[in-house]
Amino acid sequence: MQGPTSHRLAVLGGQPAFDAPYHVGSPNIGDRQRLLARIEGLLDNRRLTNRGPLVQEFEQRVADIVGVRHCVAMCNGTVALEIVTRALSMRDEVILPSLTFVATAHALQWQQITPVFGDCRPGTHHLDPARIEALVTPRTTGVLPVNVWGRPCDIDGILSVAANRGLPVVFDSAHAFGCSYKGRMMGGFGNAEVFSFHATKFINCFEGGAVVTNDDDLAQAVRLMQNFGFSGRDQVTYVGTNGKMTEVEAAMGLTSLDAMDDFVERNRQNYQAYRAGLQAVPGIELVEYDERERCNYQYVVAEVDERITGIGRDEILQALAMENVDARRYFYPGCHRMEPYRSYFPNAGMLLGNTEDVLDRVITLPTGTAVSPDVAGVIAGLLGRIVEQGAAVKSVLQQASGIRDDAHHRGLRKCANYRW
Ligand code: T4K
């Protein structure tokens, strides 16, 4: 790793700042010995899946942390969303933000439910309750807001609009495990919430998810649906699917939970190192966590204001990539610009101005236990120098893209001249 000031930017001909890439979403690995002991145990017991003891322990620990009556562990967050929205009889149209991972929309579309995209509230990355109000039709059967980056949306505002309209609410809290809203842990709001424990989440089960709720009937329906509708041996009372978490995934989840405080602390330190390093960088503004609340700090997100930086977000990402920093532009270009939604609703962007504005500026930076605060400081320093030397960086990148375009066109001409 080279110091922030000692090296010439790679895009300008220097060596990359890092020998190997730093990713957004590099998994946190807890205590290997504990994980391996749990795996030995499940192999000894020959209990591999179907709500074995490790899954039950995982469910109990998640429910305790969040403070809810029920946690149903799932194979992943997407299937958890599909099952809980179905258990709540959502159909026809459901309102959700477009600024989310595409799984939120796909979980609906997979069931032939039309996702109706609502805009973010200006100055936030979250669904605007006022837009929900405007989008409700007689076909609306629910609301699916997202607590994106683990920061709570306007939960009270959304619940109030939904209650006025008699609509159930499921929060996609894939990012929000371990976070709080107005002092209460997220997980207990609305009819249910869904967590993801995918490898890229700060608590991971390799793959995994959960539905959490205080509604006894809903929990029972979700549990039946995730296990083919079996309510007893040889007894099926529902149409169901297979959404179960395996024992080995629960072993990983429990081992991750054992280290939860350490993971959060490392994320917090990285976030603070980024914050300190980015403070003096004009035009790059960190999206701050509300430190009065419980936060997991698992996404370090910033917005680039090109009018101030003079260099665009995508050029900054290219320059970072050359330093071996794999920053992302989550969740560009927005669900409404991805298929099949782009074809279904070609003009959706006209109603999603705030979302498109955010998606053109957002940048997500590497964090987690694979990153140290020193590394975060170096990355912040690189950002500062990319902006400082923006004109030179832009000119090199534009020349390179000109050369690429030229080569591409020469290639096309060659193809056109080829006699098949
Ligand atoms: N709702 C929301 C709001 C979500 O963000 C998500 C998932 C869901 C619902 C659905 O939950 P799940 O069904 O996934 O449980 C990743 C994840 O695959 C996805 O789980 C996550 N959100 C989303 C935000 O990020 P990609 O396509 O960006 O993943 P990928 O493969 O590019 O991985 C990101 C980086 O992580 C890679 O550059 C390298 C690193 N990585 C990844 C994996 C899997 C590793 O170093 N090791 C690994 O094992 O979607």
Side-chain angles (χ1 to χ4, degrees):
M1 177 171 90
Q2 307 207 20
T5 48
S6 63
H7 106 289
R8 195 163 149 213
L9 289 172
V11 64
L12 301 180
Q15 287 298 310
F18 303 108
D19 299 333
Y22 282 100
H23 296 288
V24 174
S26 187
N28 293 330
I29 312 287
D31 185 317
R32 281 168 199 241
Q33 292 317 314
R34 282 197 199 183
L35 173 63
L36 295 174
R38 285 184 169 114
I39 294 174
E40 291 282 0
L42 74 91
L43 294 176
D44 289 346
N45 294 341
R46 294 180 188 270
R47 186 60 192 241
L48 307 188
T49 187
N50 289 11
R51 201 153 182 253
L54 295 179
V55 165
Q56 290 183 42
E57 187 185 342
F58 181 71
E59 288 180 338
Q60 192 57 55
R61 279 179 67 182
V62 169
D64 289 347
I65 290 169
V66 170
V68 290
R69 278 216 296 283
H70 306 281
C71 167
V72 184
M74 294 274 180
C75 55
N76 59 55
T78 308
V79 170
L81 286 169
E82 286 168 14
I83 290 179
V84 71
T85 50
R86 190 179 178 110
L88 282 162
S89 301
M90 291 190 189
R91 57 186 188 284
D92 298 335
E93 291 178 1
V94 168
I95 299 168
L96 74 164
S98 177
L99 202 167
T100 180
F101 188 58
V102 73
T104 319
H106 280 351
L108 300 170
Q109 186 65 42
W110 193 252
Q111 306 175 76
Q112 318 294 316
I113 301 171
T114 303
V116 176
F117 298 115
D119 206 1
C120 324
R121 177 180 276 170
T124 77
H125 294 186
H126 289 115
L127 184 59
D128 186 345
R131 297 299 180 110
I132 299 176
E133 187 76 63
L135 291 170
V136 173
T137 72
R139 287 169 53 79
T140 308
T141 60
V143 186
L144 182 50
V146 181
N147 290 312
V148 71
W149 319 133
R151 292 171 179 79
C153 56
D154 179 357
I155 291 180
D156 285 344
I158 289 174
L159 288 176
S160 150
V161 172
N164 287 341
R165 300 295 195 135
L167 296 169
V169 180
V170 171
F171 289 98
D172 178 339
S173 292
H175 304 172
F177 180 63
C179 302
S180 68
Y181 172 70
K182 297 190 177 172
R184 256 180 71 197
M185 294 303 281
M186 282 196 261
F189 293 99
N191 295 72
E193 297 195 38
V194 165
F195 295 131
S196 167
F197 298 115
H198 180 257
T200 53
K201 300 296 179 291
F202 88 109
I203 294 294
N204 87 80
C205 297
F206 301 127
E207 288 274 0
V211 172
V212 284
T213 180
N214 285 312
D215 180 332
D216 301 344
D217 295 338
L218 180 62
Q220 197 194 5
V222 165
R223 223 178 250 303
L224 288 173
M225 282 185 173
Q226 75 146 187
N227 186 26
F228 314 104
F230 274 108
S231 54
R233 186 175 284 202
D234 304 333
Q235 197 180 340
V236 171
T237 35
Y238 252 76
V239 58
T241 183
N242 183 351
K244 289 168 287 162
M245 177 181 278
T246 65
E247 286 290 277
V248 77
E249 287 167 335
M252 184 63 167
L254 287 165
T255 309
S256 300
L257 289 179
D258 293 342
M260 181 163 161
D261 291 345
D262 297 340
F263 294 163
V264 172
E265 181 51 22
R266 171 61 73 84
N267 285 346
R268 194 184 64 80
Q269 288 172 3
N270 289 343
Y271 161 75
Q272 286 185 334
Y274 276 118
R275 190 165 62 177
L278 290 175
Q279 233 152 29
V281 182
I284 298 194
E285 201 171 317
L286 201 65
V287 179
E288 305 239 342
Y289 284 94
D290 179 351
E291 303 214 38
R292 293 164 304 179
E293 299 286 353
R294 293 278 295 274
C295 308
N296 60 31
Y297 302 95
Q298 70 173 316
Y299 286 100
V300 175
V301 181
E303 285 189 13
V304 176
D305 186 342
E306 189 175 350
R307 291 164 307 183
I308 302 175
T309 55
I311 174 168
R313 183 270 312 269
D314 291 354
E315 289 159 325
I316 291 174
L317 284 183
Q318 283 180 56
L320 276 181
M322 294 177 77
E323 306 289 350
N324 257 328
V325 178
D326 185 15
R328 301 290 292 257
R329 44 186 187 172
Y330 281 149
F331 290 105
Y332 184 87
C335 296
H336 67 288
R337 291 208 183 273
M338 294 177 175
E339 291 297 354
Y341 315 109
R342 187 171 58 175
S343 298
Y344 291 167
F345 321 114
N347 300 319
M350 290 170 73
L351 294 173
L352 296 166
N354 299 325
T355 302
E356 295 206 329
D357 195 37
V358 171
L359 290 167
D360 283 343
R361 287 185 286 140
V362 76
I363 168 169
T364 308
L365 296 161
T367 186
T369 52
V371 173
S372 66
D374 285 350
V375 166
V378 171
I379 296 174
L382 286 168
L383 279 163
R385 289 172 50 236
I386 291 167
V387 170
E388 205 178 81
Q389 298 173 46
V393 171
K394 263 173 89 163
S395 135
V396 168
L397 290 172
Q398 277 163 6
Q399 272 174 34
S401 107
I403 292 167
R404 270 200 308 277
D405 284 354
D406 231 37
H408 179 65
H409 286 124
R410 274 202 307 275
L412 286 181
R413 269 204 304 275
K414 254 192 198 159
C415 287
N417 292 336
Y418 191 83
R419 287 179 199 283
W420 298 98

